[in-house]
Amino acid sequence: MVELVVNGGSHTLEAPVGRSLAETLRDGLGLTGTKIGCNEGHCGACTVLVDGVPTLSCITLVHTVEGRNVTTIEGLRDHPLVDSFVRADALQCGFCTPGQIVSASALVEANPEPTREQIRHGMAGNLCRCGAYPKIEEAIATWQG
Ligand code: FES
Ligand code: FES
């Protein structure tokens, strides 16, 4: 069993030793907004916040985050970044988008007016196979509307 705090709610669920946080969120809690791309810590699609810090949930064992605050894209549905991604048309297939928004939320929390260079640096761990980078950058640069 594992005790998880996700998007402000507490959950107790079965999780064998070795189960990743990403699998647990998706299969155990039905939070399928968190995507699994490479499943090896390279692409950023699975990014969630653990105590506010962007974390690759595919390579994080669920038992290591017991009792800590996990935030997924579902917990950020009212974040202004969601609208700014839509306004900037910052996606094509959308597979990378939840991870992009989760990472961007931590970036703007720490630095509400990041420069383009700071955005590129802060978002370097989130890959987009569709190459939507210029529009993703635009969305983050204009997130406050
Ligand atoms: S799915 Fe986790 S980094 Fe790619
Ligand atoms: S929008 Fe398709 S991978 Fe980024």
Side-chain angles (χ1 to χ4, degrees):
M1 301 292 272
V2 64
E3 303 265 347
L4 282 186
V5 181
V6 181
N7 300 329
S10 296
H11 307 270
T12 303
L13 61 166
E14 295 283 348
V17 173
R19 173 66 56 88
S20 74
L21 175 58
E23 290 173 306
T24 309
L25 291 169
R26 290 177 55 84
D27 301 339
L29 292 175
L31 295 172
T32 54
T34 299
K35 303 304 181 198
I36 298 177
C38 67
N39 209 18
E40 294 182 343
H42 299 308
C43 73
C46 64
T47 307
V48 300
L49 302 178
V50 176
D51 293 337
V53 177
T55 301
L56 299 172
S57 61
C58 74
I59 54 168
T60 299
L61 298 178
V62 68
H63 286 90
T64 66
V65 300
E66 193 152 13
R68 297 171 71 190
N69 285 304
V70 176
T71 304
T72 69
I73 187 65
E74 289 86 352
L76 296 174
R77 64 177 78 243
D78 295 326
H79 197 291
L81 274 166
V82 175
D83 278 344
S84 65
F85 267 65
V86 173
R87 273 199 312 273
D89 193 23
L91 58 139
Q92 290 185 40
C93 76
F95 190 83
C96 72
T97 311
Q100 302 277 4
I101 292 177
V102 171
S103 291
S105 73
L107 176 66
V108 302
E109 175 74 22
N111 178 7
E113 293 185 22
T115 64
R116 298 286 175 146
E117 193 175 335
Q118 287 169 334
I119 293 171
R120 283 195 285 274
H121 184 260
M123 298 297 293
N126 289 79
L127 305 185
C128 174
R129 283 180 177 257
C130 300
Y133 297 112
K135 290 183 174 179
I136 292 169
E137 194 180 306
E138 180 69 19
I140 299 168
T142 59
W143 77 282
Q144 296 184 93

